[in-house]
Amino acid sequence: MVAADDLRTGSARATLPWARQTVTTAAKTNGRSRLHPARLLIVVLMGVLVGIGAFSIVRAVTQPRRTTALYDPPVLAGQQLWGYCSGGFYARRGDTIVLTSTGHCTSEGTVAYDDDGTTVRGVFGPYARDATCPYPGHWCASSDMNYLVVATDRIPWGHLNVVDLGTAGYRVIPPGTRPLGCTDVAIGDAVEINGRDSYRRGPVTGTRENLYSPAEDGAYFPCMISAGIAVAPGDSGGAVLVRRIPAGVSSRSFDGSLGFTPLAEGLAQLGLVLCTTPDCELVPPGAGPTGAGG
């Protein structure tokens, strides 16, 4: 810091007398100071380039960077999954490993691919849906959730209880963790999301039912939780953690802020069990009878 201060001071003392002299000389010889247009253009361009360079340096220094390694296959819980869908949490339906997401950005039977456009990540299953709905023009569900049946060669065995929050690192779900329901979440609770691979956090700001005119939103959810976190297309379906506990699925934008539906109710409606151990209480292919592997 001392060197920088000294440099600025020394530069000012050396430059100002020279600048005054130049201006004075120009005034005496030409009556006014002139700057050639080509030279002016060079000065302007140099200023722009210096500004861009300084911005790039500051951005590189201040922008958060990932510090954790990627697994192979990668953990897609908390990451971009397919199209505008983000990945939620790993769960199992019987002996089948699935990854939660939301049905409003895809449909049952849709095949999801890796970024290479060839490797299959899995196939989307059904959307959570009540058999009947008392609100005309609406369909009802406990949560805005569906799931991806993960392709057998894309299951990250040994890491099924992990959520990848990008620059914020991994969140490991402890054994026996109970997913949160609507009544488990309180105003002010800390919320984390990572849809679009952009980590954000903020507080819970309220809870209400999701019931609007069919023209605005044809879905009815008995519980919609809002949080002070900015969202955009691509966040849908993403994992929501409250107090670092699996709690919900990103569902709606309310004036640009997050609205999410509860995880526990959605898992129950779809017959899913949250993975809270590395292999989700299953035996990975090629592992011994104890289930060790991954």
Side-chain angles (χ1 to χ4, degrees), residues 136-177:
H138 293 77
W139 56 268
C140 297
S142 59
S143 188
D144 188 14
M145 189 185 297
N146 73 347
Y147 58 81
L148 179 80
V149 178
V150 184
T152 55
D153 61 344
R154 307 308 292 165
I155 298 174
W157 294 108
H159 312 292
L160 292 174
N161 62 332
V162 172
V163 181
D164 186 351
L165 294 185
T167 58
Y170 290 114
R171 297 288 184 270
V172 178
I173 304 171
T177 296

mmCIF file of all heavy atoms in Angstrom, residues 136-177:
data_model
loop_
_atom_site.group_PDB
_atom_site.id
_atom_site.type_symbol
_atom_site.label_atom_id
_atom_site.label_comp_id
_atom_site.label_asym_id
_atom_site.label_seq_id
_atom_site.Cartn_x
_atom_site.Cartn_y
_atom_site.Cartn_z
ATOM 1 N N PRO A 136 -61.923 -25.620 -9.710
ATOM 2 C CA PRO A 136 -62.209 -25.714 -11.150
ATOM 3 C C PRO A 136 -61.101 -25.088 -11.994
ATOM 4 O O PRO A 136 -60.605 -24.004 -11.681
ATOM 5 C CB PRO A 136 -63.524 -24.943 -11.305
ATOM 6 C CG PRO A 136 -64.164 -25.015 -9.954
ATOM 7 C CD PRO A 136 -63.025 -24.976 -8.968
ATOM 8 N N GLY A 137 -60.729 -25.789 -13.036
ATOM 9 C CA GLY A 137 -59.704 -25.278 -13.938
ATOM 10 C C GLY A 137 -58.293 -25.482 -13.458
ATOM 11 O O GLY A 137 -57.343 -25.034 -14.113
ATOM 12 N N HIS A 138 -58.134 -26.144 -12.322
ATOM 13 C CA HIS A 138 -56.806 -26.375 -11.761
ATOM 14 C C HIS A 138 -56.506 -27.867 -11.665
ATOM 15 O O HIS A 138 -57.408 -28.698 -11.697
ATOM 16 C CB HIS A 138 -56.682 -25.781 -10.346
ATOM 17 C CG HIS A 138 -56.737 -24.292 -10.296
ATOM 18 N ND1 HIS A 138 -57.907 -23.585 -10.419
ATOM 19 C CD2 HIS A 138 -55.753 -23.373 -10.120
ATOM 20 C CE1 HIS A 138 -57.652 -22.279 -10.321
ATOM 21 N NE2 HIS A 138 -56.348 -22.134 -10.143
ATOM 22 N N TRP A 139 -55.239 -28.193 -11.522
ATOM 23 C CA TRP A 139 -54.836 -29.520 -11.056
ATOM 24 C C TRP A 139 -54.107 -29.315 -9.732
ATOM 25 O O TRP A 139 -53.539 -28.250 -9.468
ATOM 26 C CB TRP A 139 -53.963 -30.242 -12.082
ATOM 27 C CG TRP A 139 -52.730 -29.507 -12.521
ATOM 28 C CD1 TRP A 139 -52.609 -28.666 -13.583
ATOM 29 C CD2 TRP A 139 -51.437 -29.570 -11.904
ATOM 30 N NE1 TRP A 139 -51.327 -28.177 -13.669
ATOM 31 C CE2 TRP A 139 -50.582 -28.722 -12.662
ATOM 32 C CE3 TRP A 139 -50.919 -30.245 -10.806
ATOM 33 C CZ2 TRP A 139 -49.231 -28.536 -12.333
ATOM 34 C CZ3 TRP A 139 -49.584 -30.061 -10.477
ATOM 35 C CH2 TRP A 139 -48.756 -29.214 -11.237
ATOM 36 N N CYS A 140 -54.154 -30.307 -8.885
ATOM 37 C CA CYS A 140 -53.625 -30.182 -7.532
ATOM 38 C C CYS A 140 -52.493 -31.175 -7.288
ATOM 39 O O CYS A 140 -52.497 -32.286 -7.824
ATOM 40 C CB CYS A 140 -54.720 -30.425 -6.494
ATOM 41 S SG CYS A 140 -56.079 -29.234 -6.544
ATOM 42 N N ALA A 141 -51.543 -30.784 -6.465
ATOM 43 C CA ALA A 141 -50.441 -31.664 -6.069
ATOM 44 C C ALA A 141 -49.863 -31.162 -4.763
ATOM 45 O O ALA A 141 -49.999 -29.979 -4.412
ATOM 46 C CB ALA A 141 -49.354 -31.708 -7.140
ATOM 47 N N SER A 142 -49.195 -32.058 -4.048
ATOM 48 C CA SER A 142 -48.597 -31.685 -2.766
ATOM 49 C C SER A 142 -47.322 -30.876 -2.956
ATOM 50 O O SER A 142 -46.925 -30.104 -2.085
ATOM 51 C CB SER A 142 -48.292 -32.939 -1.953
ATOM 52 O OG SER A 142 -47.399 -33.772 -2.678
ATOM 53 N N SER A 143 -46.664 -31.054 -4.120
ATOM 54 C CA SER A 143 -45.432 -30.334 -4.405
ATOM 55 C C SER A 143 -45.199 -30.323 -5.914
ATOM 56 O O SER A 143 -45.690 -31.198 -6.641
ATOM 57 C CB SER A 143 -44.240 -30.989 -3.693
ATOM 58 O OG SER A 143 -43.066 -30.207 -3.800
ATOM 59 N N ASP A 144 -44.466 -29.351 -6.384
ATOM 60 C CA ASP A 144 -44.200 -29.184 -7.816
ATOM 61 C C ASP A 144 -43.011 -30.067 -8.214
ATOM 62 O O ASP A 144 -41.913 -29.571 -8.487
ATOM 63 C CB ASP A 144 -43.904 -27.710 -8.094
ATOM 64 C CG ASP A 144 -43.803 -27.398 -9.576
ATOM 65 O OD1 ASP A 144 -44.213 -28.250 -10.388
ATOM 66 O OD2 ASP A 144 -43.318 -26.308 -9.911
ATOM 67 N N MET A 145 -43.234 -31.385 -8.271
ATOM 68 C CA MET A 145 -42.109 -32.305 -8.366
ATOM 69 C C MET A 145 -42.341 -33.447 -9.352
ATOM 70 O O MET A 145 -43.456 -33.942 -9.490
ATOM 71 C CB MET A 145 -41.814 -32.897 -6.975
ATOM 72 C CG MET A 145 -40.543 -33.714 -6.886
ATOM 73 S SD MET A 145 -40.343 -34.493 -5.244
ATOM 74 C CE MET A 145 -40.217 -33.031 -4.227
ATOM 75 N N ASN A 146 -41.277 -33.819 -10.032
ATOM 76 C CA ASN A 146 -41.214 -35.091 -10.751
ATOM 77 C C ASN A 146 -39.836 -35.677 -10.485
ATOM 78 O O ASN A 146 -39.140 -35.232 -9.557
ATOM 79 C CB ASN A 146 -41.509 -34.925 -12.249
ATOM 80 C CG ASN A 146 -40.380 -34.264 -13.018
ATOM 81 O OD1 ASN A 146 -39.451 -33.692 -12.437
ATOM 82 N ND2 ASN A 146 -40.442 -34.309 -14.322
ATOM 83 N N TYR A 147 -39.409 -36.645 -11.276
ATOM 84 C CA TYR A 147 -38.070 -37.196 -11.056
ATOM 85 C C TYR A 147 -37.507 -37.760 -12.345
ATOM 86 O O TYR A 147 -38.246 -38.103 -13.286
ATOM 87 C CB TYR A 147 -38.077 -38.272 -9.964
ATOM 88 C CG TYR A 147 -38.993 -39.446 -10.209
ATOM 89 C CD1 TYR A 147 -38.632 -40.510 -11.038
ATOM 90 C CD2 TYR A 147 -40.241 -39.512 -9.574
ATOM 91 C CE1 TYR A 147 -39.483 -41.598 -11.245
ATOM 92 C CE2 TYR A 147 -41.093 -40.593 -9.774
ATOM 93 C CZ TYR A 147 -40.701 -41.624 -10.608
ATOM 94 O OH TYR A 147 -41.542 -42.699 -10.815
ATOM 95 N N LEU A 148 -36.183 -37.830 -12.383
ATOM 96 C CA LEU A 148 -35.466 -38.469 -13.483
ATOM 97 C C LEU A 148 -35.037 -39.852 -13.025
ATOM 98 O O LEU A 148 -34.385 -39.988 -11.977
ATOM 99 C CB LEU A 148 -34.228 -37.653 -13.856
ATOM 100 C CG LEU A 148 -33.366 -38.216 -14.996
ATOM 101 C CD1 LEU A 148 -33.987 -37.867 -16.345
ATOM 102 C CD2 LEU A 148 -31.929 -37.691 -14.917
ATOM 103 N N VAL A 149 -35.420 -40.895 -13.777
ATOM 104 C CA VAL A 149 -34.898 -42.237 -13.511
ATOM 105 C C VAL A 149 -33.478 -42.250 -14.072
ATOM 106 O O VAL A 149 -33.268 -42.192 -15.287
ATOM 107 C CB VAL A 149 -35.760 -43.321 -14.183
ATOM 108 C CG1 VAL A 149 -35.167 -44.708 -13.927
ATOM 109 C CG2 VAL A 149 -37.194 -43.249 -13.666
ATOM 110 N N VAL A 150 -32.482 -42.283 -13.183
ATOM 111 C CA VAL A 150 -31.086 -42.115 -13.587
ATOM 112 C C VAL A 150 -30.586 -43.355 -14.327
ATOM 113 O O VAL A 150 -30.797 -44.494 -13.864
ATOM 114 C CB VAL A 150 -30.197 -41.830 -12.358
ATOM 115 C CG1 VAL A 150 -28.754 -41.563 -12.801
ATOM 116 C CG2 VAL A 150 -30.740 -40.625 -11.575
ATOM 117 N N ALA A 151 -29.938 -43.144 -15.474
ATOM 118 C CA ALA A 151 -29.343 -44.253 -16.222
ATOM 119 C C ALA A 151 -28.338 -44.977 -15.337
ATOM 120 O O ALA A 151 -27.604 -44.342 -14.563
ATOM 121 C CB ALA A 151 -28.664 -43.724 -17.482
ATOM 122 N N THR A 152 -28.287 -46.296 -15.431
ATOM 123 C CA THR A 152 -27.463 -47.092 -14.509
ATOM 124 C C THR A 152 -25.989 -46.701 -14.549
ATOM 125 O O THR A 152 -25.307 -46.751 -13.521
ATOM 126 C CB THR A 152 -27.612 -48.592 -14.817
ATOM 127 O OG1 THR A 152 -27.295 -48.819 -16.197
ATOM 128 C CG2 THR A 152 -29.042 -49.054 -14.551
ATOM 129 N N ASP A 153 -25.497 -46.290 -15.718
ATOM 130 C CA ASP A 153 -24.082 -45.929 -15.813
ATOM 131 C C ASP A 153 -23.809 -44.475 -15.452
ATOM 132 O O ASP A 153 -22.671 -44.011 -15.526
ATOM 133 C CB ASP A 153 -23.542 -46.219 -17.216
ATOM 134 C CG ASP A 153 -24.257 -45.422 -18.310
ATOM 135 O OD1 ASP A 153 -25.353 -44.891 -18.031
ATOM 136 O OD2 ASP A 153 -23.707 -45.336 -19.427
ATOM 137 N N ARG A 154 -24.866 -43.727 -15.038
ATOM 138 C CA ARG A 154 -24.686 -42.322 -14.618
ATOM 139 C C ARG A 154 -25.023 -42.139 -13.146
ATOM 140 O O ARG A 154 -25.121 -41.005 -12.672
ATOM 141 C CB ARG A 154 -25.562 -41.390 -15.474
ATOM 142 C CG ARG A 154 -25.376 -41.541 -16.969
ATOM 143 C CD ARG A 154 -23.913 -41.441 -17.378
ATOM 144 N NE ARG A 154 -23.361 -40.121 -17.183
ATOM 145 C CZ ARG A 154 -22.051 -39.860 -17.198
ATOM 146 N NH1 ARG A 154 -21.177 -40.829 -17.363
ATOM 147 N NH2 ARG A 154 -21.617 -38.624 -17.031
ATOM 148 N N ILE A 155 -25.166 -43.236 -12.426
ATOM 149 C CA ILE A 155 -25.436 -43.147 -10.979
ATOM 150 C C ILE A 155 -24.110 -42.928 -10.247
ATOM 151 O O ILE A 155 -23.185 -43.736 -10.379
ATOM 152 C CB ILE A 155 -26.106 -44.428 -10.463
ATOM 153 C CG1 ILE A 155 -27.461 -44.632 -11.146
ATOM 154 C CG2 ILE A 155 -26.281 -44.370 -8.947
ATOM 155 C CD1 ILE A 155 -28.134 -45.954 -10.793
ATOM 156 N N PRO A 156 -23.985 -41.849 -9.474
ATOM 157 C CA PRO A 156 -22.733 -41.583 -8.756
ATOM 158 C C PRO A 156 -22.663 -42.367 -7.437
ATOM 159 O O PRO A 156 -22.759 -41.799 -6.345
ATOM 160 C CB PRO A 156 -22.789 -40.069 -8.515
ATOM 161 C CG PRO A 156 -24.247 -39.780 -8.371
ATOM 162 C CD PRO A 156 -24.951 -40.725 -9.321
ATOM 163 N N TRP A 157 -22.498 -43.672 -7.557
ATOM 164 C CA TRP A 157 -22.432 -44.518 -6.358
ATOM 165 C C TRP A 157 -21.371 -43.981 -5.398
ATOM 166 O O TRP A 157 -20.308 -43.526 -5.806
ATOM 167 C CB TRP A 157 -22.118 -45.957 -6.735
ATOM 168 C CG TRP A 157 -23.188 -46.643 -7.523
ATOM 169 C CD1 TRP A 157 -23.158 -46.984 -8.846
ATOM 170 C CD2 TRP A 157 -24.468 -47.072 -7.029
ATOM 171 N NE1 TRP A 157 -24.334 -47.587 -9.219
ATOM 172 C CE2 TRP A 157 -25.162 -47.663 -8.128
ATOM 173 C CE3 TRP A 157 -25.100 -47.014 -5.781
ATOM 174 C CZ2 TRP A 157 -26.436 -48.193 -8.010
ATOM 175 C CZ3 TRP A 157 -26.381 -47.531 -5.665
ATOM 176 C CH2 TRP A 157 -27.037 -48.115 -6.760
ATOM 177 N N GLY A 158 -21.689 -44.041 -4.136
ATOM 178 C CA GLY A 158 -20.791 -43.512 -3.115
ATOM 179 C C GLY A 158 -21.017 -42.053 -2.800
ATOM 180 O O GLY A 158 -20.449 -41.521 -1.841
ATOM 181 N N HIS A 159 -21.898 -41.383 -3.598
ATOM 182 C CA HIS A 159 -22.140 -39.953 -3.402
ATOM 183 C C HIS A 159 -23.625 -39.607 -3.546
ATOM 184 O O HIS A 159 -23.954 -38.461 -3.868
ATOM 185 C CB HIS A 159 -21.324 -39.145 -4.413
ATOM 186 C CG HIS A 159 -19.897 -39.553 -4.503
ATOM 187 N ND1 HIS A 159 -18.995 -39.355 -3.475
ATOM 188 C CD2 HIS A 159 -19.215 -40.192 -5.491
ATOM 189 C CE1 HIS A 159 -17.807 -39.827 -3.834
ATOM 190 N NE2 HIS A 159 -17.918 -40.348 -5.043
ATOM 191 N N LEU A 160 -24.490 -40.575 -3.315
ATOM 192 C CA LEU A 160 -25.920 -40.333 -3.519
ATOM 193 C C LEU A 160 -26.541 -39.464 -2.430
ATOM 194 O O LEU A 160 -27.676 -38.996 -2.588
ATOM 195 C CB LEU A 160 -26.669 -41.663 -3.637
ATOM 196 C CG LEU A 160 -26.346 -42.476 -4.893
ATOM 197 C CD1 LEU A 160 -27.024 -43.846 -4.844
ATOM 198 C CD2 LEU A 160 -26.773 -41.715 -6.149
ATOM 199 N N ASN A 161 -25.821 -39.245 -1.352
ATOM 200 C CA ASN A 161 -26.308 -38.346 -0.299
ATOM 201 C C ASN A 161 -25.600 -36.997 -0.362
ATOM 202 O O ASN A 161 -25.457 -36.293 0.648
ATOM 203 C CB ASN A 161 -26.119 -38.973 1.077
ATOM 204 C CG ASN A 161 -24.651 -39.239 1.395
ATOM 205 O OD1 ASN A 161 -23.834 -39.456 0.482
ATOM 206 N ND2 ASN A 161 -24.311 -39.256 2.680
ATOM 207 N N VAL A 162 -25.171 -36.617 -1.564
ATOM 208 C CA VAL A 162 -24.428 -35.375 -1.766
ATOM 209 C C VAL A 162 -25.228 -34.429 -2.663
ATOM 210 O O VAL A 162 -25.881 -34.862 -3.612
ATOM 211 C CB VAL A 162 -23.046 -35.673 -2.402
ATOM 212 C CG1 VAL A 162 -22.342 -34.384 -2.804
ATOM 213 C CG2 VAL A 162 -22.179 -36.481 -1.447
ATOM 214 N N VAL A 163 -25.171 -33.142 -2.354
ATOM 215 C CA VAL A 163 -25.740 -32.091 -3.189
ATOM 216 C C VAL A 163 -24.594 -31.174 -3.599
ATOM 217 O O VAL A 163 -23.830 -30.708 -2.749
ATOM 218 C CB VAL A 163 -26.828 -31.279 -2.455
ATOM 219 C CG1 VAL A 163 -27.414 -30.207 -3.363
ATOM 220 C CG2 VAL A 163 -27.928 -32.201 -1.943
ATOM 221 N N ASP A 164 -24.459 -30.923 -4.897
ATOM 222 C CA ASP A 164 -23.377 -30.103 -5.415
ATOM 223 C C ASP A 164 -23.849 -28.652 -5.545
ATOM 224 O O ASP A 164 -24.658 -28.327 -6.416
ATOM 225 C CB ASP A 164 -22.926 -30.636 -6.776
ATOM 226 C CG ASP A 164 -21.694 -29.921 -7.310
ATOM 227 O OD1 ASP A 164 -21.288 -28.903 -6.718
ATOM 228 O OD2 ASP A 164 -21.146 -30.383 -8.337
ATOM 229 N N LEU A 165 -23.329 -27.779 -4.678
ATOM 230 C CA LEU A 165 -23.697 -26.367 -4.711
ATOM 231 C C LEU A 165 -22.624 -25.509 -5.385
ATOM 232 O O LEU A 165 -22.494 -24.313 -5.107
ATOM 233 C CB LEU A 165 -23.968 -25.865 -3.289
ATOM 234 C CG LEU A 165 -25.186 -26.475 -2.585
ATOM 235 C CD1 LEU A 165 -25.410 -25.818 -1.235
ATOM 236 C CD2 LEU A 165 -26.438 -26.368 -3.449
ATOM 237 N N GLY A 166 -21.874 -26.108 -6.283
ATOM 238 C CA GLY A 166 -20.924 -25.352 -7.092
ATOM 239 C C GLY A 166 -19.858 -24.656 -6.276
ATOM 240 O O GLY A 166 -19.073 -25.291 -5.572
ATOM 241 N N THR A 167 -19.808 -23.332 -6.358
ATOM 242 C CA THR A 167 -18.777 -22.565 -5.663
ATOM 243 C C THR A 167 -18.893 -22.661 -4.144
ATOM 244 O O THR A 167 -17.932 -22.361 -3.432
ATOM 245 C CB THR A 167 -18.835 -21.087 -6.073
ATOM 246 O OG1 THR A 167 -20.133 -20.561 -5.776
ATOM 247 C CG2 THR A 167 -18.565 -20.928 -7.560
ATOM 248 N N ALA A 168 -20.060 -23.068 -3.646
ATOM 249 C CA ALA A 168 -20.253 -23.230 -2.195
ATOM 250 C C ALA A 168 -19.870 -24.624 -1.719
ATOM 251 O O ALA A 168 -19.974 -24.921 -0.529
ATOM 252 C CB ALA A 168 -21.697 -22.931 -1.814
ATOM 253 N N GLY A 169 -19.447 -25.495 -2.641
ATOM 254 C CA GLY A 169 -18.992 -26.826 -2.260
ATOM 255 C C GLY A 169 -20.109 -27.847 -2.177
ATOM 256 O O GLY A 169 -21.251 -27.596 -2.578
ATOM 257 N N TYR A 170 -19.765 -29.002 -1.673
ATOM 258 C CA TYR A 170 -20.724 -30.093 -1.525
ATOM 259 C C TYR A 170 -21.429 -30.019 -0.168
ATOM 260 O O TYR A 170 -20.838 -29.603 0.828
ATOM 261 C CB TYR A 170 -20.023 -31.447 -1.635
ATOM 262 C CG TYR A 170 -19.521 -31.784 -3.019
ATOM 263 C CD1 TYR A 170 -18.159 -31.902 -3.289
ATOM 264 C CD2 TYR A 170 -20.411 -32.002 -4.071
ATOM 265 C CE1 TYR A 170 -17.696 -32.216 -4.560
ATOM 266 C CE2 TYR A 170 -19.961 -32.308 -5.343
ATOM 267 C CZ TYR A 170 -18.606 -32.416 -5.590
ATOM 268 O OH TYR A 170 -18.160 -32.724 -6.853
ATOM 269 N N ARG A 171 -22.681 -30.423 -0.152
ATOM 270 C CA ARG A 171 -23.414 -30.616 1.089
ATOM 271 C C ARG A 171 -23.692 -32.113 1.213
ATOM 272 O O ARG A 171 -24.338 -32.698 0.329
ATOM 273 C CB ARG A 171 -24.744 -29.850 1.096
ATOM 274 C CG ARG A 171 -24.590 -28.351 1.004
ATOM 275 C CD ARG A 171 -24.055 -27.736 2.293
ATOM 276 N NE ARG A 171 -24.010 -26.288 2.198
ATOM 277 C CZ ARG A 171 -22.975 -25.586 1.747
ATOM 278 N NH1 ARG A 171 -21.889 -26.240 1.342
ATOM 279 N NH2 ARG A 171 -23.006 -24.278 1.695
ATOM 280 N N VAL A 172 -23.208 -32.728 2.267
ATOM 281 C CA VAL A 172 -23.411 -34.155 2.500
ATOM 282 C C VAL A 172 -24.575 -34.328 3.461
ATOM 283 O O VAL A 172 -24.585 -33.755 4.557
ATOM 284 C CB VAL A 172 -22.146 -34.813 3.076
ATOM 285 C CG1 VAL A 172 -22.396 -36.292 3.346
ATOM 286 C CG2 VAL A 172 -20.973 -34.644 2.111
ATOM 287 N N ILE A 173 -25.579 -35.100 3.040
ATOM 288 C CA ILE A 173 -26.768 -35.326 3.863
ATOM 289 C C ILE A 173 -26.461 -36.445 4.862
ATOM 290 O O ILE A 173 -26.167 -37.571 4.458
ATOM 291 C CB ILE A 173 -27.961 -35.721 2.981
ATOM 292 C CG1 ILE A 173 -28.212 -34.646 1.913
ATOM 293 C CG2 ILE A 173 -29.214 -35.935 3.822
ATOM 294 C CD1 ILE A 173 -29.219 -35.049 0.862
ATOM 295 N N PRO A 174 -26.513 -36.167 6.155
ATOM 296 C CA PRO A 174 -26.179 -37.185 7.159
ATOM 297 C C PRO A 174 -27.186 -38.335 7.177
ATOM 298 O O PRO A 174 -28.368 -38.144 6.842
ATOM 299 C CB PRO A 174 -26.229 -36.405 8.487
ATOM 300 C CG PRO A 174 -26.103 -34.966 8.099
ATOM 301 C CD PRO A 174 -26.778 -34.854 6.769
ATOM 302 N N PRO A 175 -26.740 -39.525 7.548
ATOM 303 C CA PRO A 175 -27.653 -40.676 7.634
ATOM 304 C C PRO A 175 -28.849 -40.378 8.533
ATOM 305 O O PRO A 175 -28.707 -39.763 9.592
ATOM 306 C CB PRO A 175 -26.773 -41.775 8.225
ATOM 307 C CG PRO A 175 -25.382 -41.400 7.837
ATOM 308 C CD PRO A 175 -25.341 -39.902 7.882
ATOM 309 N N GLY A 176 -30.011 -40.806 8.082
ATOM 310 C CA GLY A 176 -31.221 -40.631 8.879
ATOM 311 C C GLY A 176 -31.854 -39.254 8.788
ATOM 312 O O GLY A 176 -32.858 -38.994 9.474
ATOM 313 N N THR A 177 -31.312 -38.372 7.976
ATOM 314 C CA THR A 177 -31.890 -37.030 7.844
ATOM 315 C C THR A 177 -33.326 -37.114 7.333
ATOM 316 O O THR A 177 -33.609 -37.811 6.362
ATOM 317 C CB THR A 177 -31.064 -36.165 6.876
ATOM 318 O OG1 THR A 177 -29.753 -35.972 7.420
ATOM 319 C CG2 THR A 177 -31.717 -34.804 6.652
#
